[in-house]
Amino acid sequence: MSVLTLAALAALLAFGVSASVGAGDAREALRVIGRDAGPQAVATADLYFTLGDMDAQVANVLLIGGEEGLSREREAALRTYERRRDAASAALLQAADLTGDDPAEQRTVRDVLSGLSRYERLAAEALVLDRRSGHRAGPPPAEVTELYRRATDLMRLELLPKAYNLTLESGALVRRTYEDRRRDVLVARAVSLVAGLLLAGALVALQVYLAARFRRLLNPALALALAGAAVLTAAASGLLGGQAEQLRRARDEGFDHVLALSRARAKGIGVQADQSRFLLDPARRDTYEQAYLDQSQSIVYVPADSLGDYHRAVAGADGSRLLGLVGERVRGRTGEPAVRDVLTGFQGFQRRDRELRHLVRSGRTREAVALRLGASGRAFDRYDGALVSLVTAHRNAFEGAVRTGEARMGPWPYALPVGAVLIGLLVLAGVRPRLAEYR
Amino acid sequence: MRRVLIVPPPAAALAVLAALALLAGCGGDRESAAGRDTLVIGVNADGPGLGLRTGNRFEGFDVDVAREIARRLGARDVRFRALRSADREKFLERGTVDLVVATYSITAERKTRVTFAGPYYVAHQDTLVRRGEGRIRDVRDLAGRRLCRVDGSNSWRRVIQQRGVPAEPVPAGNYAECVRMLKAGLVDAVSTDDLILAGLVRGDSSARVVNAPFSDERYGVGLRKGDVAGCEAVNKAITGMYQDGTAAGLLRRWFGPSGLRLTTTVPEFEGCD
């Protein structure tokens, strides 16, 4: 009898420990993904967007110059620049808070902060010089262009890559946490299930043994312990299985999409900025046109050798064979209106770009500038708006899954060990009088 | 919180066994490149300044980058293996090599077969001219000039077909031959990745890169498709190399003398997914 009792208690211990550890893993995973690295990844993607838009707005202001018909657009671009600048500083401070104790990431955040103040100085100089020159819409005087080149090179070659890598690093932390913890949760579930069954088996055996040995029909304490063990095992298995599923949903249906689409959105701002730079700096036209093509390809990839090819291929794309950050997310999903809007929005923007390049090639630069700030800008806003809606839908799915997981956690992290202790006491209460009869 | 499973025999032992059996079903993947003792790295054998084999020693920027990455991944033993461009995907898929560091540009099509860490450098197509050449300042100035054309390379096509610059192509077998032809006055310009050009004229003052880049070539580190953990570890290593100045030192060592404008801050990574 004491062997059976010991076996039951050992199984109970294994059950209690594995179920509690599993519940702790699930809670920790929800915290990191839902409250820590997950939101940080999204916040740094927004930082990239903000920085990219700062540089785009500076290019727009310089492009407009003193052109009277576009003074409203100039004011709007300046206001957006200032708003983005403030948002970037705030986002960086937040990122500094969230990087935790990884020295490489902290160093990256510091580098971006100090680079940003250098950028602001260069941009401010360029803006002042440009204001004085009062040129018509189109390329500004050479000394303004020279200052802007230094600013944009700093932004594109140093600051944006670092901001982007911060996003990737947070995304990597989410992936590692997800994979490790979800596996741990599933292992804990399997272990607790087996331990629970062994416990139940031992309790039944004890019951049978006692009935035969002491001619009692039922030991009430042991019967209660058996019922408790059954309930607790089912509860633990359901809880851990459910949490593993919530984690999967949070990641596969939410976070992965949010991160990829936020990165796409950030790159989109760079694409639009490359239009402005293309108009602003004729000597670097080839560079900026190539950058436009490369960045567009990273968003929606279709095979193309030149920008002309790309315009044609994107116009004809039906969403079935696309690659790239947006391409892979919309592939095969164009039946969903929110997804289709993103693709048609992108196509509309690329159509305007084709017109814009055509105007420049035929020497109508001022019209091209007006197009960039008018119809082309609106086409971009439609695309960007559709992308934001899609991101929001996935963000809701993500936050919903995290909240559901947290709510289902309820009192279980405490209830499981307490329940196990109670069952242990019941087992001891059930066998103790019988043990006493031995003496 | 680190969890310690207290293992009371025999129930827990049985339970653990059962759990392991469950897990065995999802652990079938091959090992990640991160955390291996020995790493086999594929590099070029015929690219001066990037990956060049002399005897059985490899040297160049790619080779040094590969060695640094391996060290930072914790590998104790590194072996280099020469590969041709056409072999890169095949060698990774078969496990012949663990990593490829060989002027391997990241493209959307290649990403369907390979996971890319990095880029560790973003090279640009640029133009090499004779030292005394004053009229070629960017790719547009190649109109009507003799441009070296290497068969099997896309670089000349980018100039003549994509940019529509009417240069006169002159065929050659490879870029080393192009450089010889440039010096002999048989062509006026050679156009391809700036690091390749800089590597070819290292320590040679008769030619220079014009510093008018017009494309981005994102040199990535190729890993077996799906090795996300390895990819993230390589990215960490590359970040570290830029933060502690190792990358800047290597760039200057291999390409500094060519007069090429080098970027010494960390590139924007591709992302491991």
Side-chain angles (χ1 to χ4, degrees), chain A residues 21 64 78 92 129 133 145 205 224 237 312 342 354 401 418 431:
Chain A
V21 166
I64 295 168
L78 270 177
L92 268 168
L129 212 59
S133 81
T145 307
L224 210 54
S237 174
R312 275 187 294 280
V342 173
R354 189 178 182 172
V418 170
V431 299

Side-chain angles (χ1 to χ4, degrees), chain A residues 21 48 102 104 107-108 157-158 161 164-165 169 172 175-176 181 184 190 263 267 286-287 290 301 305, chain B residues 3 5 11 15 22-23 108-109 140 162-163 213-215 228-229 232 236 243 265-270 273:
Chain A
V21 166
Y48 184 99
D102 183 333
R107 165 86 189 268
T108 303
L157 301 180
E158 289 190 36
Y164 197 74
N165 293 356
E169 185 57 43
R175 183 196 66 79
R176 280 196 298 274
R181 297 289 176 164
D184 290 348
R263 281 159 61 195
K267 289 216 177 247
D286 288 311
T287 305
Q290 187 69 39
Y301 179 85
D305 274 342
Chain B
R3 71 217 63 101
L5 261 184
L22 266 176
L23 268 187
E109 273 127 0
R140 301 264 158 212
Q162 285 178 33
R163 304 258 148 248
F214 62 91
S215 81
V228 178
E232 287 167 0
K236 255 193 176 346
Q243 286 188 344
T265 55
V266 71
E268 185 167 302
F269 292 150
E270 182 64 27
D273 44 3

Side-chain angles (χ1 to χ4, degrees), chain B residues 222-243:
Chain B
L223 295 104
R224 175 178 56 76
K225 175 83 183 155
D227 184 3
V228 178
C231 173
E232 287 167 0
V234 172
N235 280 348
K236 255 193 176 346
I238 295 171
T239 303
M241 282 173 63
Y242 276 93
Q243 286 188 344

Side-chain angles (χ1 to χ4, degrees), chain A residues 113-193:
Chain A
L113 258 171
S114 77
L116 184 59
S117 60
R118 270 184 294 147
Y119 177 85
E120 285 173 30
R121 213 170 49 238
L122 287 167
E125 280 181 58
L127 290 170
V128 168
L129 212 59
D130 185 69
R131 178 100 239 198
R132 271 190 222 138
S133 81
H135 67 89
R136 297 176 74 188
E143 65 268 26
V144 175
T145 307
E146 188 45 46
L147 274 171
Y148 178 69
R149 281 183 180 180
R150 282 168 60 198
T152 192
D153 285 352
L154 173 62
M155 182 61 85
R156 289 179 308 119
L157 301 180
E158 289 190 36
L159 305 188
L160 288 175
K162 288 190 174 115
Y164 197 74
N165 293 356
L166 278 177
T167 306
L168 293 176
E169 185 57 43
S170 309
L173 180 57
V174 169
R175 183 196 66 79
R176 280 196 298 274
T177 307
Y178 168 81
E179 283 178 3
D180 293 354
R181 297 289 176 164
R182 186 165 180 277
R183 190 193 55 222
D184 290 348
V185 169
L186 288 173
V187 170
R189 177 176 185 242
V191 173
S192 66
L193 193 62

